[in-house]
Amino acid sequence: MKFVDDLYTMYKNHLTGDEEDALIIIDGILQEISEAGIEKLIHELSDDERFEMFGMYLYEKFQLKISEEGIGQTTNEDDQGKGYVH
């Protein structure tokens, strides 16, 4: 996506390689961009890019739901494998 390429070019000499770099930059942009600007960027995406964007959104929201619900976390001592001799 050209917007991301341009954004990277603009900030690449200020990045530390930390994940927070991207979060801070994107948060700042989202606070400044208008709804019309967002719609314009979305319309400029190819079909594949829109599919990928929506897929990533669904993936992140699903992961967040799993995390919030505690799925996959064990809370009982029995689930920790303690007390069993193998």
Side-chain angles (χ1 to χ4, degrees), residues 60-75:
E60 291 294 330
K61 295 303 270 186
F62 192 71
Q63 287 289 92
L64 182 61
K65 183 68 173 176
I66 291 170
S67 177
E68 287 171 350
E69 297 293 323
I71 305 299
Q73 297 178 2
T74 55
T75 56

Side-chain angles (χ1 to χ4, degrees), residues 25-63:
I25 292 168
I26 298 304
D27 183 59
I29 288 170
L30 289 175
Q31 290 182 27
E32 298 294 324
I33 197 168
S34 67
E35 187 174 331
I38 292 171
E39 288 178 11
K40 181 180 181 288
L41 288 172
I42 291 171
H43 286 294
E44 290 174 354
L45 296 174
S46 70
D47 289 343
D48 288 341
E49 288 172 321
R50 276 193 298 276
F51 183 83
E52 181 181 351
M53 179 182 69
F54 189 62
M56 289 301 299
Y57 171 79
L58 290 176
Y59 172 79
E60 291 294 330
K61 295 303 270 186
F62 192 71
Q63 287 289 92

